[in-house]
Amino acid sequence: MATPRPLPLDPIAEAHRQWTSHGWGEVADGMAAVTSLVRAQQIVMARVDEALRPSGLTFSRYELLALLSFSRTGALPMAVASARLQVHPTSVTNTVDRLEAAELVKRVPHPSDRRATLIEITDAGRRLVAQATEELNESVFARPGLPPQRLRQLLQLLSEFRRAAGDFDIGDTPTHWS
């Protein structure tokens, strides 16, 4: 991956300065945090997209294939996939349409619920997701951009943020990063 040329200043720090000078200093840190998260997501997704390019997968297609490959039977109901991926059912349907056209998954009737459809990974889907996972592990996940101790701190903060936003509720059970 080509390394982008760094800017001569931090645009988010400049935005923070501008926010403060325009009288919004009390929310400048929040603006900078949100903007930093969005920018970090863009940076990470560019790395992920580059790693997945040889496989022809988008990240959403990769996530669904990975989810199916981790399931005990290699198949899940569409509604369960939607819930686990935290996306709208329409998004899962669109992703399945594309993966099915590429013969990486197939729709099969649910064995005990006539109203439900299962998404089942094919052998080709298993092979492709295994290759894509190797590439992601090697070129993205092994070098996320922070040393291990700082990475754990980031995970702890993001877990706290997500929980406070209602992303999950595990009661008093500590999370992995607590």
Side-chain angles (χ1 to χ4, degrees), residues 36-160:
S36 293
L37 284 169
V38 170
R39 181 62 186 135
Q41 190 264 351
Q42 292 169 339
I43 291 166
V44 169
M45 287 312 298
R47 292 176 183 167
V48 167
D49 290 345
E50 185 165 322
L52 290 175
R53 191 170 293 118
S55 71
L57 293 173
T58 63
F59 191 59
S60 62
R61 293 176 202 161
Y62 168 79
E63 282 185 305
L64 182 56
L65 286 175
L67 177 65
L68 293 172
S69 74
F70 294 152
S71 71
R72 191 171 20 89
T73 64
L76 290 172
M78 300 257 296
V80 171
S82 173
R84 292 206 183 140
L85 295 173
Q86 297 177 298
V87 297
H88 192 274
T90 304
S91 295
V92 171
T93 300
N94 291 336
T95 300
V96 170
D97 288 345
R98 287 177 174 68
L99 290 171
E100 191 172 39
E103 300 181 348
L104 300 172
V105 301
K106 60 184 175 180
R107 287 177 169 94
V108 296
H110 193 287
S112 60
D113 183 353
R114 293 184 309 150
R115 297 167 298 166
T117 299
L118 297 178
I119 314 159
E120 185 176 276
I121 192 167
T122 64
D123 289 341
R126 284 187 187 281
R127 285 190 299 274
L128 187 63
V129 76
Q131 292 169 352
T133 300
E134 284 182 34
E135 183 58 36
L136 282 170
N137 282 342
E138 184 179 312
S139 62
V140 180
F141 301 151
R143 292 181 301 281
L146 292 171
Q149 183 177 353
R150 300 288 286 164
L151 186 60
R152 289 190 67 74
Q153 286 177 311
L154 176 63
L155 289 166
Q156 188 173 5
L157 289 169
L158 291 172
S159 177
E160 182 181 329

